[in-house]
Amino acid sequence: MVKSVRPVLIYLPGLDGTGKLFYQQEANLAPYCEVRVLAVPLDDRRDWPELTQQVLDLLPGPEQPVILCGESFGGCIALLAALAWPGRFRHLVLINPATSWRRQTLLQQGAQGLSILPAFTFRFAALFFMPFLVTVSRMKREDRRVLLAILRLVPAETIIHRLKLLDSLNVDDELHRLTLPVLLVAGAADRLLPSLAEVKHLAELMPDARIEVLPYSGHAVLIESEMDLARLLLQYDFLMRTE
């Protein structure tokens, strides 16, 4: 019997770029696949092509199947990588992808005002915005502390730069080229972006997409205590159970 090759899951994080909020899911995924996380430095100001190029550095040899998983801002990088190298990925997973940002006029106007705020106010703004990022009641206390600490580390200039990148992103006309199986995950209680409407929109543009709706989850769903990405990928046959 030929032994199956262990797959690699590449995780592309949200706007913070650190990948440090993936620890809970990484532990759950470990029995089924090798996990690699893209870490974007906090002061990184690179544009989409350069960010997408970093995914190449995480790719294994051609014999190992790859699951590309992007969350929020990372979902945009994942789409660009899948479009750039369509033959290198077996599955694509997008979790509350931030592809809808450019259509959110009020949010864009609010983001433009960030540039005039003093840098020290962002430490306090992180606490204010937490309820928009997560469903707080679905998180453990220690996870809330980790999330808040990471949010306070991201410089204002980095946030503004990455939001401007989202303003410029429009890949709708190219998504018909993505013929690989795609799982679109939406938190129905997302208060930051209209993720449920967005995954439905994306599914209409992709040949082989399916949708998973998490009815009580917010935007940063992967840090919620009840979220198990491994279980979800097993359910959709994106991962195989081990013996």
Side-chain angles (χ1 to χ4, degrees), residues 3-234:
K3 186 177 181 180
S4 60
V5 178
R6 185 173 170 83
V8 172
L9 183 140
I10 297 177
Y11 170 69
L12 311 180
L15 198 69
D16 66 283
T18 64
K20 293 181 179 180
L21 298 174
F22 198 60
Y23 55 88
Q24 177 177 305
Q25 305 307 326
E26 190 168 3
N28 294 336
L29 288 162
Y32 307 102
C33 61
E34 177 186 340
V35 177
R36 301 182 182 183
V37 177
L38 175 66
V40 183
L42 290 171
D43 60 351
D44 191 288
R45 305 284 192 276
R46 283 175 283 190
D47 59 13
W48 287 125
E50 293 170 315
L51 288 170
T52 305
Q53 189 69 25
Q54 291 183 92
V55 179
L56 276 182
D57 296 334
L58 297 176
L59 287 175
E63 72 283 353
Q64 281 186 281
V66 179
I67 304 165
L68 186 60
C69 176
E71 181 182 19
S72 188
F73 182 82
C76 300
I77 302 176
L79 275 175
L80 291 170
L83 287 166
W85 308 291
R88 290 296 286 118
F89 308 106
R90 177 173 292 184
H91 298 100
L92 176 63
V93 183
L94 303 178
I95 302 168
N96 290 332
T99 45
S100 65
W101 174 263
R102 66 183 180 83
R103 294 191 291 273
Q104 308 310 308
T105 307
L106 290 177
L107 283 176
Q108 286 181 314
Q109 292 174 348
Q112 290 169 4
L114 294 177
S115 60
I116 65 175
L117 292 176
F120 74 87
T121 62
F122 276 73
R123 289 180 56 82
F124 302 99
L127 183 60
F128 174 79
F129 281 109
M130 264 194 69
F132 293 93
L133 287 171
V134 293
T135 304
V136 177
S137 62
R138 296 174 64 82
M139 294 177 64
K140 296 177 182 177
R141 181 176 298 178
E142 57 267 31
D143 292 334
R144 291 199 295 268
R145 287 198 294 263
V146 171
L147 174 60
L148 184 58
I150 291 175
L151 290 176
R152 286 174 166 171
L153 286 175
V154 186
E157 295 81 7
T158 298
I159 295 174
I160 293 167
H161 171 73
R162 292 175 186 174
L163 291 179
K164 286 181 178 178
L165 289 181
L166 291 176
D167 286 341
S168 69
L169 184 70
N170 183 7
V171 294
D172 283 6
D173 292 341
E174 301 181 67
L175 296 183
H176 67 279
R177 298 196 286 109
L178 294 179
T179 58
L180 77 172
V182 181
L183 178 61
L184 301 166
V185 182
D190 189 341
R191 299 175 63 191
L192 185 66
L193 291 173
S195 291
L196 181 55
E198 183 63 10
V199 297
K200 291 178 179 178
H201 169 72
L202 293 176
E204 293 178 352
L205 303 175
M206 298 176 175
D208 189 8
R210 60 225 63 186
I211 294 173
E212 174 70 20
V213 178
L214 306 176
Y216 307 109
S217 293
H219 188 71
V221 61
L222 293 182
I223 200 171
E224 293 181 2
S225 56
E226 296 181 21
M227 177 59 180
D228 187 339
L229 181 60
R231 177 192 55 78
L232 198 59
L233 298 185
L234 288 167

